[in-house]
Amino acid sequence: VLEKTFEEWLRYRDECLRRMASEPYPAGLFCNRTFDMYACWPDGSPGTTVNVSCPFYLPWFEKVKHGLVSRRCGADGQWVTVNGSQAWRDYSQCEEEMETTAEEEGARQLMVSFKVLYTVGYSLSLLTLVSALLILTLFRKLRCTRNYIHANLFASFGLRATSVMVKDVLLERRWGREVAQVADWETLLSHQASWNPALGCRAAQVLMQYCILANHYWFLVEAVYLYKLLIGAVFSEKNYYRLYLYLGWGTPVVFVVPWMAAKYLKENAECWALNENMAYWWIIRIPILLASLINLLIFMRILKVILAKLRANQKGYADYKLRLAKATLTLIPLFGIHEVVFIFATDEQTSGILRYIKVFFTLFLNSFQGFLVAVLYCFANKEV
């Protein structure tokens, strides 16, 4: 809303400056035409009140389009001021009705709670992931292909958590100002006029999308590697590790670059976080769904192998079921199988309570998943 408002304000200001430059000046004493960062004022006759329509750039303009904002032209040909410096202005007819319904306030509080939830989750994940990454890379006895793959997965999670938090800080700094009255709009808009496009915020957004894709493709690498171990491939691990690097870090580039081009050319607004045309969002969504579906197939195949091995070696039925449940629960966070749950509950198809439920579980699982993976595959690892 604020970026669109800023664009409309620029258009309003330019139209005002053109009008002031083209209209002839009246004879005699008058208050000079001006643009006071809020409204465009024509020349005023001494001792009168000048009224103009509410500025069209206000987000709530449709509600106040018939309203007027007023200034007084003094008998000396100077605009009336307050405290000798600030221009007097009556904009009461242009103010937004600040009343919000209980439902709107509840939704706002819920979204704030969601933000606190995922901020805590990503912070905790980042802390544990950095520790786990140091453990796996510093100790020579832990250096093997399996742990190298885990380390790359940890790195992708860490980068993702960092990009999310950096993006939030940049968004808050750029658009997080509370706007309660006209003076706030003036300060915000005049300050924004000197700002460059949100390159930092968009760079963090691009990094976040890259890391989300990298997460899923390192999940795929984990799945392929474990499948290869269980099925018993004969190829050497060294030859495969380079391919794993290409798959995990290289594949996301293939999809992020065209997504960047589409956003820059077609939806170059705000922090590239809004998806007005969902077709561009499928550039990111399709490879995620593809990786998740492949992981699901491998997951089911691995469970079948584990089931067969447990049946062949079971000592007791209860112990057998317990080990199968443990293997299943361990594989789920490693392969990101939970993503499959919301494959068909897309953003366009969910609303109301269902949307809030989806948002909660998605944010909770995504933000705490790095913590869970670090604990399971590093801190709870007997080798570590």
Side-chain angles (χ1 to χ4, degrees):
V1 173
L2 284 173
E3 181 154 315
K4 290 179 180 177
T5 301
F6 179 51
E7 291 172 358
E8 288 295 292
W9 177 80
L10 289 176
R11 186 162 69 88
Y12 181 88
R13 182 197 64 181
D14 293 343
E15 289 180 6
C16 177
L17 295 176
R18 283 195 297 269
R19 193 182 314 131
M20 289 194 299
S22 61
E23 292 179 356
Y25 285 89
L29 189 66
F30 62 91
C31 290
N32 200 20
R33 64 193 68 176
T34 184
F35 174 62
D36 63 356
M37 307 298 288
Y38 176 73
C40 187
W41 301 98
D43 299 316
S45 301
T48 63
T49 298
V50 179
N51 298 314
V52 297
S53 298
C54 295
F56 63 71
Y57 63 81
L58 295 173
W60 52 85
F61 176 69
E62 284 300 315
K63 298 179 182 179
V64 297
K65 59 184 177 182
H66 300 300
L68 298 173
V69 56
S70 307
R71 284 184 72 172
R72 290 177 188 161
C73 180
D76 58 353
Q78 299 293 323
W79 295 106
V80 174
T81 59
V82 180
N83 298 327
S85 58
Q86 187 177 357
W88 177 88
R89 181 175 53 216
D90 179 9
Y91 48 79
S92 57
Q93 295 182 31
C94 301
E95 287 187 294
E96 181 187 21
E97 295 180 6
M98 298 301 290
E99 295 180 6
T100 57
T101 64
E103 184 179 353
E104 290 174 334
E105 181 61 24
R108 191 187 73 84
Q109 290 294 338
L110 192 59
M111 290 302 175
V112 170
S113 301
F114 285 168
K115 183 178 180 182
V116 172
L117 171 74
Y118 77 71
T119 301
V120 171
Y122 279 124
S123 300
L124 182 62
S125 292
L126 186 60
L127 181 64
T128 53
L129 287 165
V130 170
S131 303
L133 201 55
L134 289 174
I135 290 171
L136 291 186
T137 53
L138 290 179
F139 292 97
R140 288 186 177 182
K141 289 184 178 181
L142 296 175
R143 293 177 186 176
C144 62
T145 301
R146 182 182 70 255
N147 285 337
Y148 288 155
I149 292 173
H150 289 342
N152 280 282
L153 181 65
F154 295 166
S156 68
F157 269 116
L159 288 172
R160 177 176 179 175
T162 302
S163 65
V164 168
M165 290 188 287
V166 168
K167 175 180 65 66
D168 279 354
V169 169
L170 293 173
L171 272 174
E172 182 69 23
R173 186 176 297 174
R174 183 171 174 81
W175 302 118
R177 186 190 301 265
E178 287 289 338
V179 180
Q181 53 186 326
V182 169
D184 294 332
W185 279 111
E186 285 183 81
T187 304
L188 176 68
L189 294 172
S190 60
H191 183 54
Q192 292 294 96
S194 62
W195 280 31
N196 293 323
L199 295 178
C201 182
R202 290 172 186 172
Q205 181 76 16
V206 170
L207 178 61
M208 185 183 74
Q209 298 301 340
Y210 172 81
C211 292
I212 289 172
L213 281 167
N215 271 169
H216 287 85
Y217 280 87
W218 277 107
F219 283 145
L220 183 57
V221 170
E222 293 273 9
V224 170
Y225 179 75
L226 186 55
Y227 181 81
K228 186 172 75 72
L229 285 181
L230 289 173
I231 301 304
V234 296
F235 297 103
S236 67
E237 292 181 352
K238 282 189 175 180
N239 292 337
Y240 266 95
Y241 183 63
R242 181 171 291 181
L243 292 177
Y244 293 153
L245 290 174
Y246 290 147
L247 178 60
W249 296 117
T251 306
V253 177
V254 176
F255 300 101
V256 170
V257 170
W259 175 79
M260 285 174 56
K263 297 297 283 188
Y264 180 76
L265 297 173
K266 302 294 184 179
E267 283 187 355
N268 193 26
E270 298 188 16
C271 198
W272 289 359
L274 299 179
N275 298 305
E276 295 179 1
N277 187 337
M278 295 304 292
Y280 305 135
W281 183 230
W282 279 102
I283 300 173
I284 297 292
R285 187 185 287 173
I286 285 176
I288 289 176
L289 298 185
L290 180 63
S292 298
L293 286 172
I294 295 173
N295 277 349
L296 179 61
L297 295 175
I298 296 176
F299 174 72
M300 294 170 66
R301 174 65 175 152
I302 288 175
L303 280 186
K304 186 177 179 181
V305 172
I306 292 175
L307 187 64
K309 289 179 180 293
L310 287 174
R311 276 179 176 167
N313 301 307
Q314 63 176 318
K315 296 177 181 178
Y317 185 71
D319 178 62
Y320 152 69
K321 292 200 70 175
L322 181 64
R323 283 185 290 162
L324 180 61
K326 182 180 178 182
T328 304
L329 292 174
T330 304
L331 288 173
I332 286 175
L334 182 60
F335 290 177
I337 301 300
H338 66 275
E339 297 280 355
V340 181
V341 175
F342 295 113
I343 279 182
F344 301 106
T346 60
D347 294 337
E348 310 96 289
Q349 297 171 333
T350 54
S351 60
I353 299 297
L354 178 60
R355 182 172 179 81
Y356 290 133
I357 292 173
K358 181 200 169 184
V359 168
F360 170 78
F361 279 105
T362 301
L363 292 177
F364 177 81
L365 292 171
N366 286 345
S367 60
F368 283 93
Q369 191 178 14
F371 168 75
L372 181 61
V373 167
V375 169
L376 284 176
Y377 304 111
C378 180
F379 300 112
N381 186 331
K382 290 182 180 180
E383 290 178 289
V384 172

